């Protein structure tokens, strides 16, 4: 379960596109290049104006649908009930989709903007889940860290261990997500966040159970609103949301914990059974155009891997923000989530149930 829903207003354009997708069976009107591209993306994860611009410039109609989590998206795509072309999964889910032969290899000759404008470091990072960079184009990236209210803590927060400090009891917000919650406990104990070692997972589970009495709530989007409203002192949050919260509450500070954390990437992919593959690649290439990428960055506030777009950011504070564009070489123990396999997922889910029910 991942980030998103940074803004609370759903624009009419996106709503109408999602409704159109439902009414038309998400565009399942036959295969081939029929002047459409059917896109499945996170909620509020694109500037609607960029969709309108794509339609105007290319004459290709965009049928647009939204999902809330990777775990909701995957079974719908796997079942093939809806004929989507372009999807925007997260790193570990892309790995799972590759393993299960759900993705088409991309023709980068049809996407010059993807080749020229996406920073090489992001393609290098993507090799953690797409080893040959054949199936995905980075769209947004960021880190998971700690957001804290400077007026509600006794000292700067610098590490995950401080989320176990009893003086912050009932003032700590944790992510209501198995992988994100376990990542915190795994980094706390010096483990990889992709471990499937039962002994290490048992230690991480016990750490979460030990912490539980201190936790005010396990939340997802609510961490943003609670921190803005001074309802908690410390929260685990995604970097893009941290940028938004700081605009609303200047007392909030974001930090990448010293024990290490998750660096994530969400990427565009094309499904193997996509009815409009050529249009799908045109859509991805358009979204990699610098002027379009910077519009999307300014709308959703999640970091863009598009280096040409970053040069177009007019706000110097954001352009040079250590939250939006941190120098990752300064940090240790950064990892990308990878797919753990069916047995690994089952093990995590079982232990997460124990944490939540304890």
């Amino acid at each position: 379960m991942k980030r998103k829903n940074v803004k609370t207003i759903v624009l009419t354009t996106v709503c109408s596109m999602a409704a159109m997708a439902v009414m038309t069976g998400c565009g399942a009107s036959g295969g081939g290049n029929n002047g459409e591209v059917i896109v499945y993306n996170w909620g509020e994860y694109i500037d609607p104006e960029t969709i309108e611009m794509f339609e105007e410039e290319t004459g290709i109609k965009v049928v647009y649908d939204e999902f809330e989590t990777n775990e909701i998206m995957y079974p719908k795509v796997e079942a093939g009930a809806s004929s989507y072309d372009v999807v925007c999964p997260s790193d570990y889910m892309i790995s799972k989709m590759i393993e299960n032969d759900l993705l088409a290899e991309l023709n980068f000759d049809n996407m010059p903007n993807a080749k020229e404008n996406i920073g090489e470091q992001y393609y290098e990072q993507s090799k953690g889940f797409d080893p040959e960079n054949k199936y995905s184009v980075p769209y947004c990236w960021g880190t998971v860290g700690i957001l804290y209210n400077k007026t509600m803590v006794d000292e700067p927060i610098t590490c995950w261990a401080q989320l176990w400090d009893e003086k912050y009891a009932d003032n700590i917000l944790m992510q209501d997500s198995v992988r994100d919650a376990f990542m915190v406990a795994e980094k706390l104990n010096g483990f990889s966040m992709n471990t499937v070692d039962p002994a290490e997972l048992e230690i991480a589970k016990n750490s979460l159970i030990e912490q539980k009495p201190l936790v005010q709530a396990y939340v997802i989007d609510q961490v943003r609103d609670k921190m803005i409203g001074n309802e908690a002192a410390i929260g685990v949050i995604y970097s893009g949301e941290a940028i938004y919260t700081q605009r609303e509450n200047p007392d909030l500070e974001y930090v990448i914990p010293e024990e290490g954390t998750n660096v994530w990437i969400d990427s565009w992919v094309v499904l193997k059974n996509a009815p409009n593959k050529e249009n799908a690649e045109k859509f991805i290439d358009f979204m990699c155009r610098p002027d379009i990428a910077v519009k999307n960055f300014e709308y959703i506030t999640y970091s863009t891997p598009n280096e040409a777009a970053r040069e177009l950011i007019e706000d110097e504070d954001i352009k040079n923000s250590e939250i939006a564009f941190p120098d990752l070489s300064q940090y240790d123990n950064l990892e990308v989530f990878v797919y753990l396999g069916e047995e690994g997922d089952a093990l995590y889910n079982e232990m997460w149930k124990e944490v939540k029910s304890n």
Side-chain angles (χ1 to χ4, degrees):
M1 301 178 71
K2 280 265 184 195
R3 53 209 156 267
K4 318 308 180 285
N5 294 330
V6 171
K7 296 177 174 62
T8 57
I9 301 174
V10 180
L11 298 186
T12 303
T13 302
V14 172
C15 286
S16 63
M17 288 177 179
M20 185 186 303
V22 173
M23 288 188 291
T24 61
C26 294
S29 56
N33 185 350
N34 59 7
E36 291 184 340
V37 62
I38 308 159
V39 180
Y40 198 24
N41 194 11
W42 296 88
E44 298 183 67
Y45 210 38
I46 200 167
D47 186 335
E49 288 186 11
T50 66
I51 295 177
E52 295 173 2
M53 292 170 67
F54 175 78
E55 290 181 321
E56 291 172 1
E57 292 188 26
T58 66
I60 298 169
K61 174 186 172 184
V62 177
V63 180
Y64 194 87
D65 200 2
E66 297 178 344
F67 60 86
E68 295 180 354
T69 71
N70 285 295
E71 287 68 29
I72 290 173
M73 173 276 296
Y74 181 82
K76 192 173 181 181
V77 167
E78 183 184 36
S82 301
S83 300
Y84 296 115
D85 296 305
V86 182
V87 186
C88 187
S90 302
D91 32 47
Y92 70 96
M93 191 57 70
I94 293 173
S95 177
K96 182 175 182 177
M97 295 171 84
I98 293 172
E99 182 172 312
N100 289 287
D101 197 29
L102 295 180
L103 302 183
E105 290 191 25
L106 300 174
N107 184 348
F108 281 84
D109 290 337
N110 295 334
M111 302 183 295
N113 286 312
K115 288 199 297 185
E116 296 170 8
N117 300 326
I118 304 301
E120 184 60 35
Q121 62 177 311
Y122 305 105
Y123 280 120
E124 190 64 31
Q125 185 178 330
S126 296
K127 289 181 180 179
F129 54 88
D130 181 5
E132 298 180 58
N133 291 133
K134 294 195 300 185
Y135 299 97
S136 61
V137 174
Y139 175 54
C140 291
W141 72 280
T143 59
V144 178
I146 301 172
L147 187 71
Y148 67 95
N149 190 312
K150 293 178 286 187
T151 69
M152 298 175 67
V153 298
D154 295 337
E155 71 284 300
I157 304 299
T158 62
C159 58
W160 294 123
Q162 288 168 284
L163 274 64
W164 272 257
D165 193 325
E166 292 185 359
K167 66 185 173 185
Y168 299 122
D170 201 38
N171 259 318
I172 297 169
L173 301 174
M174 287 286 287
Q175 287 287 318
D176 191 10
S177 161
V178 55
R179 293 297 298 272
D180 288 322
F182 267 85
M183 180 275 292
V184 174
E186 286 158 350
K187 290 300 184 183
L188 173 77
N189 288 287
F191 306 143
S192 166
M193 66 187 197
N194 294 306
T195 183
V196 289
D197 183 323
E200 293 182 346
L201 286 174
E202 186 71 18
I203 292 172
K205 180 197 75 175
N206 289 335
S207 292
L208 290 173
I209 291 173
E210 177 189 349
Q211 182 206 32
K212 191 174 178 182
L214 309 180
V215 176
Q216 179 190 115
Y218 294 94
V219 291
I220 302 178
D221 298 328
Q222 301 96 319
V223 65
R224 175 191 66 238
D225 301 323
K226 283 179 171 288
M227 293 299 295
I228 290 172
N230 300 318
E231 296 179 40
I234 304 171
V236 179
I237 199 168
Y238 297 98
S239 53
E241 293 197 352
I243 294 171
Y244 177 76
T245 60
Q246 285 186 326
R247 290 174 177 172
E248 302 297 315
N249 185 340
D251 290 328
L252 300 177
E253 192 75 34
Y254 178 81
V255 62
I256 296 175
E258 59 191 30
E259 300 101 329
T261 192
N262 170 27
V263 179
W264 55 265
I265 294 181
D266 292 341
S267 299
W268 298 116
V269 300
V270 175
L271 297 182
K272 192 170 187 178
N273 64 351
N276 309 293
K277 185 174 186 291
E278 183 178 339
N279 286 351
E281 292 180 338
K282 288 179 180 178
F283 179 85
I284 294 172
D285 188 60
F286 185 83
M287 291 300 155
C288 292
R289 208 171 79 184
D291 60 319
I292 301 301
V294 76
K295 281 181 68 66
N296 282 324
F297 166 72
E298 290 171 347
Y299 181 79
I300 63 178
T301 70
Y302 279 94
S303 305
T304 175
N306 192 311
E307 294 185 343
R310 184 179 175 186
E311 293 303 313
L312 299 179
I313 299 172
E314 295 181 356
D315 186 326
E316 290 296 322
D317 289 339
I318 293 296
K319 185 176 183 178
N320 300 309
S321 167
E322 293 183 3
I323 299 176
F325 303 104
D327 178 1
L328 298 182
S329 66
Q330 297 181 4
Y331 302 95
D332 296 323
N333 301 320
L334 302 179
E335 292 183 86
V336 175
F337 277 129
V338 299
Y339 175 50
L340 303 174
E342 296 294 336
E343 291 185 4
D345 280 354
L347 182 58
Y348 270 77
N349 289 332
E350 184 60 34
M351 290 197 170
W352 182 233
K353 288 179 183 177
E354 291 183 47
V355 173
K356 295 299 288 289
S357 64
N358 190 278

